Amino acid sequence: GQQLNQSPQSMFIQEGEDVSMNCTSSSIFNTWLWYKQDPGEGPVLLIALYKAGELTSNGRLTAQFGITRKDSFLNISASIPSDVGIYFCAGPDRGSTLGRLYFGRGTQLTVWP
Amino acid sequence: DAGITQSPRHKVTETGTPVTLRCHQTENHRYMYWYRQDPGHGLRLIHYSYGVKDTDKGEVSDGYSVSRSKTEDFLLTLESATSSQTSVYFCAIGDRGQAGELFFGEGSRLTVL
């Protein structure tokens, strides 16, 4: 299957700081998705990207679909305590037309007040 | 929130016993997925379904089987549970396949002793 490499694995930041994380693949993706998982919950979709070069915002979150189609970036501005959680990138298996979706290993974000 | 329910939410069982996890949806979505989440591994796809009686393997399908006899239910079965199958299992649903906008359940924590 596809391998999605997420970095960093974990981040410890102060409230108010900006955050950047990224996801790379050796394969080309047609879609990049970013999910967030709060402690004890299932992941929730934050942003979906469908076009190379696309830059999409959702409040304090901004995500970009890399021009090479092999990477994507997620930025969080002015972090707050409720940003704590695990952030996952995800993308579909291009070898399957049937909806197989793969996830990266996640970036664990901790925000200190 | 998407209408998706997992049961049981918590289960402790012994090695060698069969276990079935149930995912029930009220959204009439075509696609249903089972993932497992383990520290350091993120979310790994076990099996997924693209319609009633239509299923396919994911990246970690060994030791698991699934069935989907009606749109709303997707069952994950461990025929003979092993300690390596101790994990948190998430069901997800979607209606766009590879476009990848999935809605996740709250997870089922399985411990195999």
Side-chain angles (χ1 to χ4, degrees):
Chain A
Q2 314 279 1
Q3 190 157 11
L4 299 179
N5 302 305
Q6 256 186 278
S7 65
Q9 267 191 313
S10 60
M11 301 182 76
F12 298 83
I13 63 169
Q14 201 88 29
E15 184 177 357
E17 290 183 1
D18 296 342
V19 172
S20 279
M21 60 189 78
N22 70 80
C23 195
T24 61
S25 172
S26 57
S27 305
I28 288 173
F29 275 71
N30 294 322
T31 301
W32 282 99
L33 305 144
W34 285 94
Y35 285 79
K36 183 198 176 193
Q37 184 180 28
D38 289 329
E41 308 271 336
V44 174
L45 182 67
L46 296 174
I47 292 179
L49 302 158
Y50 299 107
K51 188 176 174 183
E54 181 181 356
L55 187 71
T56 298
S57 293
N58 179 6
R60 293 178 297 105
L61 276 62
T62 301
Q64 184 160 25
F65 192 143
I67 284 291
T68 65
R69 294 164 64 192
K70 292 184 177 181
D71 57 9
S72 179
F73 304 87
L74 177 69
N75 297 313
I76 305 172
S77 62
S79 58
I80 60 178
S82 63
D83 290 333
V84 165
I86 305 175
Y87 292 79
F88 292 101
C89 62
D93 181 355
R94 293 184 73 235
S96 166
T97 59
L98 301 172
R100 193 181 300 169
L101 186 67
Y102 293 111
F103 284 77
R105 297 189 176 191
T107 294
Q108 174 78 58
L109 178 64
T110 302
V111 180
W112 300 106
Chain B
D1 288 344
I4 177 169
T5 307
Q6 291 184 229
S7 60
R9 295 289 314 280
H10 300 272
K11 185 171 182 68
V12 180
T13 191
E14 293 188 347
T15 297
T17 60
V19 175
T20 295
L21 305 180
R22 179 183 183 234
C23 180
H24 178 78
Q25 62 149 328
T26 57
E27 304 297 318
N28 201 36
H29 282 337
R30 177 182 175 191
Y31 297 88
M32 298 186 75
Y33 304 77
W34 277 107
Y35 288 89
R36 60 177 287 175
Q37 184 174 26
D38 305 287
H41 289 279
L43 291 158
R44 292 182 291 175
L45 181 63
I46 305 172
H47 283 278
Y48 70 103
S49 169
Y50 47 96
V52 173
K53 296 192 172 145
D54 293 321
T55 65
D56 198 4
K57 296 179 180 179
E59 54 192 316
V60 289
S61 58
D62 287 349
Y64 302 95
S65 62
V66 290
S67 66
R68 191 167 178 201
S69 58
K70 42 187 180 175
T71 299
E72 56 267 34
D73 289 325
F74 192 34
L75 303 180
L76 177 70
T77 297
L78 292 66
E79 299 291 347
S80 177
T82 67
S83 59
S84 64
Q85 293 175 311
T86 292
S87 187
V88 180
Y89 292 86
F90 285 97
C91 176
I93 62 174
D95 62 357
R96 295 180 61 188
Q98 284 198 315
E101 298 184 54
L102 303 186
F103 300 94
F104 282 80
E106 293 186 320
S108 296
R109 182 175 293 277
L110 175 67
T111 301
V112 183
L113 301 175

